[in-house]
Amino acid sequence: RRFYLQLLVLITLFVLFIAVWVALFLARQITGPVTALLEAARAVRGGNLAYRVRVAATDEFATLVRAFNEMTQDLETNRNELERRRRFIEAVLESIPTGVVSLDADGTVRLTNRAFHNIFPRVADPQHLAGLIPADMGADLGRLLKSARCTGSSSRQIEFPVDGGSRHLSVTVAALSPGVTSGYVIVIEDTTDLLRAQQAEAWHEVARRIAHELKNPLTPIALSSQRIQRQIDKLNPPAEVRLIVEKCCDTILREVDS
């Protein structure tokens, strides 16, 4: 009985050992992939989208690991594409001569380009719209923002004084989405030189028309003076009369030319 009892104990211990070993093996098959996925999730949350799960797994866990790796690969590809587009957009914004400002709904400044700082050289990098623009433009721009919130887009010409003159700006405000929580994009174009060129062209046209209107009566006056001179030569008047008429005709022609 003692022998059989000892044999039974040994068999029981052996079975327990095998059961524990199998349980640990199966547990490692489960906990290994789960632990690796948890570590990968922490890495992805920290911004490391290049992290991949390198663990042996079977059945559903292998499918889960493969799906997780495919997801992180897609996220990394999308992030690289977004980064490429962001750099492209920034390059475009920095190269255009029009000032661009991006705002949140509360007026927080998100982006400004080089052309904006060329238009407003005294403005550094404020965090809010109130410090971004001159005080003379605040009321007009506020009305544009309210109008853009209702209609989606609004624009107008704004003139404000500067040192020794005034500046004309064409301002367009576009809401990024409908609703009160929408951000805005403000496009500012300095039209001062364009308006000056247009005014100069308009005055040039006025001067041209005035010159044309002056030439209309001056031309027959000059022709009449020349005709008088030819008639004097034909009539052969006294010398005094000829001298006076020729002098007057010369004066008429000279003043017409002037």
Side-chain angles (χ1 to χ4, degrees):
R1 286 198 301 271
R2 182 178 300 173
F3 172 75
Y4 285 119
L5 182 60
Q6 292 176 352
L7 182 61
L8 182 60
V9 171
L10 290 176
I11 293 173
T12 302
L13 292 176
F14 179 75
V15 171
L16 287 175
F17 173 77
I18 295 299
V20 171
W21 185 84
V22 171
L24 291 176
F25 176 78
L26 294 177
R28 283 196 297 269
Q29 295 294 318
I30 296 174
T31 59
V34 171
T35 303
L37 288 172
L38 288 175
E39 293 178 356
R42 294 190 188 98
V44 171
R45 184 177 60 184
N48 183 15
L49 296 180
Y51 190 92
R52 299 292 183 269
V53 178
R54 309 295 183 186
V55 65
T58 58
D59 300 333
E60 288 81 3
F61 284 103
T63 303
L64 181 60
V65 169
R66 184 170 59 253
F68 185 89
N69 289 335
E70 291 176 354
M71 179 193 69
T72 53
Q73 183 176 358
D74 292 341
L75 288 175
E76 184 180 17
T77 302
N78 293 335
R79 185 179 66 175
N80 294 336
E81 179 65 19
L82 289 175
E83 181 66 18
R84 186 186 66 81
R85 293 185 180 183
R86 184 188 65 82
R87 290 195 298 267
F88 174 76
I89 292 174
E90 288 182 352
V92 171
L93 289 177
E94 290 299 321
S95 63
I96 62 176
T98 304
V100 178
V101 182
S102 176
L103 303 174
D104 285 342
D106 59 354
T108 302
V109 178
R110 289 299 180 186
L111 180 145
T112 57
N113 66 342
R114 184 184 307 168
F116 174 83
H117 295 285
N118 292 335
I119 297 175
F120 301 110
R122 295 183 178 179
V123 180
D125 291 316
Q127 300 298 320
H128 197 270
L129 179 63
L132 185 68
I133 60 173
D136 300 325
M137 289 181 57
D140 293 330
L141 193 56
R143 287 191 290 267
L144 283 176
L145 291 173
K146 293 180 181 179
S147 177
R149 181 178 296 173
C150 298
T151 62
S153 178
S154 181
S155 62
R156 64 172 299 177
Q157 295 286 335
I158 296 179
E159 180 181 0
F160 67 97
V162 294
D163 297 337
S166 62
R167 173 168 285 182
H168 299 266
L169 300 177
S170 176
V171 182
T172 301
V173 179
L176 298 179
S177 61
V180 295
T181 60
S182 170
Y184 302 94
V185 171
I186 303 176
V187 179
I188 302 176
E189 183 178 4
D190 190 350
T191 58
T192 304
D193 294 337
L194 178 62
L195 290 177
R196 288 175 181 172
Q198 291 177 348
Q199 291 174 355
E201 182 63 24
W203 281 113
H204 178 74
E205 180 65 19
V206 169
R208 188 188 64 81
R209 293 186 179 183
I210 291 176
H212 178 72
E213 295 298 328
L214 288 175
K215 287 181 180 179
N216 286 338
L218 290 177
T219 300
I221 291 175
L223 293 176
S224 298
S225 176
Q226 294 172 357
R227 185 175 182 183
I228 290 173
Q229 287 180 330
R230 289 194 298 269
Q231 293 299 324
I232 287 296
D233 293 335
K234 293 179 181 180
L235 295 175
N236 195 17
E240 295 180 357
V241 175
R242 176 186 291 275
L243 181 63
I244 293 174
V245 172
E246 288 182 352
K247 183 177 180 181
C248 290
C249 289
D250 291 338
T251 301
I252 291 172
L253 291 175
R254 184 172 61 255
E255 293 301 324
V256 166
D257 291 337
S258 175

